Amino acid sequence: MLDGKSALVTGAGSGIGRATALAFAREGAWVAAADLTLEAAQRTVAAIEAKGGQAVAIAVDVTDDAAVQAMVAAAVSAFGGLDCAFNNAGIAPHQVNAGGVLMADMPEAAWLRLLEVNLTGVWRCLRHEVAQMRQQGGGAIVNTASVAGLVGLPGAAGYVAGKHGVVGLTKAAAVDHAKENIRINAVCPGYIETPMTEESKRRRGDAITARTALGRFGVPEEIAEAVVWLCSDRASFVTGSNWTVDGGYSAL
């Protein structure tokens, strides 16, 4: 689906990002795998190359605008352009010591950190990716929102607010840049088996699966398939949408 295209993935070192980087390569794309930890990105690149694909590893902190700009420039330098981007880097409440904390009890520092990474980080990536794509005459971008961008979740106010913001940002950006042939969509994963959800699974895994129509957590590859399709020409009339891949969690 992506033969001859170049793709950039943030948060590519593990979980959904890693699975999507591998899926992009499987479908013929050259992949720039970016992660906060360069070693994690390099492991993803090694997995791609082991299967005959082409990839480069990039270290990036999405809270640093200069680093995000340099990331996009490095991807363009490696592959001559940027056709697809998956803005997936994010953090969970437990990573800022706010897992299960009620909204009124959340420290301001935790709130600000969640928004800085999960929402403003996506905006930074979008800004620099769109700047490159408008020079080329188009491209396709997918942002990672969440089922938390569609419904409220207990003890996760900062995460929920940020992911709702990603849903709104995706719609606004898609409208702003449609005439430049840039499609922008979001994917809304439910509970997926990744390092980020280990804490949620430990604390309330049974309650989560009981509420999920399919009765299980998803796997990263199930999100990757949706992202790859949204970035492909097969989705040429899809923009400003939020694709829910949650096993029916938000349907109950």
Side-chain angles (χ1 to χ4, degrees):
M1 284 192 281
L2 299 173
D3 276 346
K5 294 184 182 293
S6 58
L8 169 65
V9 180
T10 66
S14 64
I16 292 170
R18 176 184 171 88
T20 303
L22 288 164
F24 274 150
R26 182 200 69 207
E27 293 298 329
W30 306 308
V31 181
D35 199 90
L36 180 63
T37 305
L38 181 60
E39 292 78 8
Q42 289 171 333
R43 287 192 292 270
T44 297
V45 167
I48 289 171
E49 292 177 340
K51 295 178 180 294
Q54 296 184 49
V56 295
I58 303 170
V60 68
D61 179 350
V62 298
T63 69
D64 181 340
D65 190 69
V68 172
Q69 185 175 22
M71 170 189 70
V72 173
V76 172
S77 176
F79 303 125
L82 182 64
D83 301 301
C84 314
F86 181 38
N87 298 320
N88 171 70
I91 58 173
H94 71 85
Q95 293 175 285
V96 292
N97 298 315
V101 176
L102 300 182
M103 184 280 296
D105 301 325
M106 177 177 291
E108 183 175 350
W111 168 269
L112 293 174
R113 178 64 177 170
L114 285 164
L115 292 179
E116 178 71 10
V117 176
N118 292 342
L119 178 55
T120 307
V122 171
W123 170 77
R124 288 191 184 96
C125 291
L126 276 173
R127 198 160 69 93
H128 292 295
E129 291 156 0
V130 166
Q132 173 62 32
M133 289 177 177
R134 71 195 336 174
Q135 293 178 24
Q136 304 172 181
I141 301 171
V142 177
N143 301 320
T144 295
S146 169
V147 68
L150 307 173
V151 301
L153 300 179
Y159 187 78
V160 168
K163 293 301 186 178
H164 271 71
V166 172
V167 168
L169 173 61
T170 297
K171 293 178 180 179
V175 171
D176 281 350
H177 298 289
K179 291 183 179 178
E180 296 173 297
N181 195 35
I182 300 171
R183 295 187 300 101
I184 304 172
N185 294 286
V187 64
C188 295
Y191 285 89
I192 309 300
E193 294 271 8
T194 71
M196 186 179 287
T197 62
E198 287 177 356
E199 176 68 11
S200 294
K201 188 172 184 179
R202 182 189 64 78
R203 286 193 296 111
R204 52 193 186 91
D206 290 344
I208 290 167
T209 54
R211 183 185 162 145
T212 302
L214 293 182
R216 62 175 176 86
F217 277 54
V219 296
E221 289 75 14
E222 292 173 309
I223 309 303
E225 293 301 321
V227 177
V228 168
W229 184 81
L230 286 168
C231 284
S232 78
D233 293 338
R234 298 181 187 183
S236 57
F237 199 55
V238 182
T239 198
S241 70
N242 302 290
W243 284 67
T244 305
V245 189
D246 69 348
Y249 183 94
S250 59
L252 297 178

